[in-house]
Amino acid sequence: MRPNPNRASDYQKFVELFLGRTTFSRQCRIRNPDDVLVDFDPTENELTASSYKFVQVANQALGYRIKYYGLRFVTNFKQNVVSFYGQPVFEEMTPRNERQKRLWEANRLAAYRGSLTHFLKSVHDNQVTTEGFLAQRLRIVPNRRFPQADSLRRALLRRRLNMVLTSAENDSLARWGKEPPAFSILYTKPRPIDSLRRVSADGAHVFLRYTNHLQVSYLRESPDPLYRLPAARIGVAPVAPPRDRQVSQLMLMAREIEIQPNGQLVNPLGVFTDEYWGFEKMGEFLPVNYLPPAPCPAPPHPTHDR
């Protein structure tokens, strides 16, 4: 088999998307890069990665070594979607001194605050508002003008192959080219807890369940300084979120999914996250048995080793 001439650039894209681009992610390193197999399909514009044993990540921001077994990583650049799953095993690093121990503890708490796990636990425990979250209904409405715009765009582009477009046609192409496939409508009223979950009759099981999409804001912490507003998702025009909170979107891929008491989902592939939760990756990755100090306090902002 011939070596892949693009392996270095493909691997670097994988590293950025797998580890993330956060302040904590910048302190993460993959220790066994030769064990990661990356492949890019130009036809599908899709990058995949896997490992025949595990991917070892050292997170100096949180003080963990992670062995990520059975990695299956896929990103589709057409759809701007990243997904990966596997079985992580965490090992705590030994701090150099008491200062580093306190730093790791503070950073772990910062990684937990406002995370998807934190939100889901607050839904499970009926503590959404108490824990600093605002959950709102988000509805995606198809743009009825987009099919017309798309048809006109294709017709004019086909004509361009044979002759020069008139100024009126160029104006039409520019105007219709700005039409998004869909619009997002945000309902400002907070969603009540009964619209976010279903509790079994015996009270032993709690299920994440809601209609439409969900916008979730964490009101007690600003975004990471490295966070940049994402480009428009396919089908949705971009809306700039406020800078004094962390704004994420949550899409349910099944009718309902059980939430465990620790905030983990029984089926973690049953949800799709976007915006801020899509920005956070391995740099904020915590063990499923991580427990924040009780009660979970409001910050100051986390500090980072320089």
Side-chain angles (χ1 to χ4, degrees):
M1 181 181 296
R2 291 182 300 174
N4 178 3
N6 300 318
R7 205 266 180 189
S9 61
D10 292 342
Y11 176 78
Q12 188 56 40
K13 291 176 186 175
F14 158 73
V15 169
E16 292 178 2
L17 294 169
F18 179 62
L19 297 183
R21 299 184 177 97
T22 69
T23 300
F24 289 163
S25 293
R26 285 190 169 188
Q27 300 177 58
C28 294
R29 296 290 183 272
I30 294 177
R31 295 303 187 189
N32 57 336
D34 291 340
D35 294 333
V36 181
L37 307 176
V38 293
D39 182 65
F40 178 69
D41 183 343
T43 303
E44 297 296 327
N45 202 8
E46 190 169 84
L47 180 71
T48 59
S50 61
S51 177
Y52 61 91
K53 48 180 183 178
F54 57 79
V55 181
Q56 184 163 323
V57 178
N59 187 336
Q60 293 290 345
L62 304 187
Y64 291 121
R65 295 185 188 89
I66 307 168
K67 288 184 177 179
Y68 204 88
Y69 291 89
L71 171 70
R72 291 295 180 270
F73 171 95
V74 179
T75 181
N76 188 290
F77 295 103
K78 290 180 183 178
Q79 302 173 2
N80 197 27
V81 172
V82 178
S83 65
F84 60 87
Y85 62 92
Q87 182 62 46
V89 176
F90 285 77
E91 175 189 356
E92 290 201 34
M93 296 180 180
T94 302
R96 294 189 301 270
N97 48 44
E98 188 63 25
R99 178 181 178 276
Q100 186 173 58
K101 178 182 177 182
R102 291 195 303 267
L103 176 66
W104 284 348
E105 290 172 350
N107 286 351
R108 290 171 187 175
L109 180 57
Y112 177 80
R113 281 192 305 253
S115 66
L116 176 62
T117 300
H118 184 191
F119 172 69
L120 292 174
K121 180 168 176 55
S122 74
V123 172
H124 182 281
D125 297 344
N126 190 12
Q127 296 289 321
V128 172
T129 302
T130 304
E131 289 296 319
F133 290 100
L134 170 64
Q136 298 165 290
R137 179 188 177 196
L138 183 69
R139 191 157 68 95
I140 307 301
V141 181
N143 180 4
R144 295 180 179 179
R145 296 174 59 179
F146 181 75
Q148 304 172 35
D150 198 40
S151 297
L152 177 62
R153 187 184 300 110
R154 289 197 301 268
L156 293 181
L157 289 175
R158 282 197 300 269
R159 183 176 177 182
R160 178 180 288 177
L161 297 176
N162 301 316
M163 63 186 72
V164 178
L165 297 180
T166 67
S167 60
E169 289 170 334
N170 274 316
D171 290 343
S172 297
L173 186 61
R175 184 177 68 255
W176 286 105
K178 296 177 181 178
E179 287 288 335
F183 298 99
S184 57
I185 300 176
L186 179 66
Y187 295 76
T188 57
K189 184 178 180 180
R191 298 200 70 160
I193 190 65
D194 290 342
S195 72
L196 298 175
R197 68 175 194 171
R198 180 180 72 83
V199 182
S200 62
D202 61 2
H205 303 277
V206 178
F207 299 85
L208 181 67
R209 183 176 184 177
Y210 59 86
T211 56
N212 298 127
H213 298 318
L214 202 64
Q215 177 167 298
V216 181
S217 300
Y218 184 59
L219 306 177
R220 294 181 180 171
E221 197 169 274
S222 299
D224 186 296
L226 298 178
Y227 180 56
R228 298 293 178 266
L229 299 180
R233 297 190 320 278
I234 300 300
V236 182
V239 177
R243 304 298 297 172
D244 62 342
R245 61 191 67 184
Q246 298 170 0
V247 180
S248 304
Q249 291 187 20
L250 185 64
M251 283 141 273
L252 196 57
M253 312 302 287
R255 186 184 180 193
E256 62 180 17
I257 307 173
E258 185 172 357
I259 308 173
Q260 300 178 81
N262 63 356
Q264 300 295 319
L265 293 172
V266 170
N267 176 17
L269 298 179
V271 295
F272 177 79
T273 59
D274 199 5
E275 296 197 14
Y276 199 75
W277 284 338
F279 168 67
E280 294 184 319
K281 296 287 195 309
M282 291 293 291
E284 289 69 33
F285 204 34
L286 292 165
V288 296
N289 61 351
Y290 172 79
L291 294 175
C296 185
H301 291 288
T303 56
H304 303 282
D305 249 343
R306 298 295 182 186

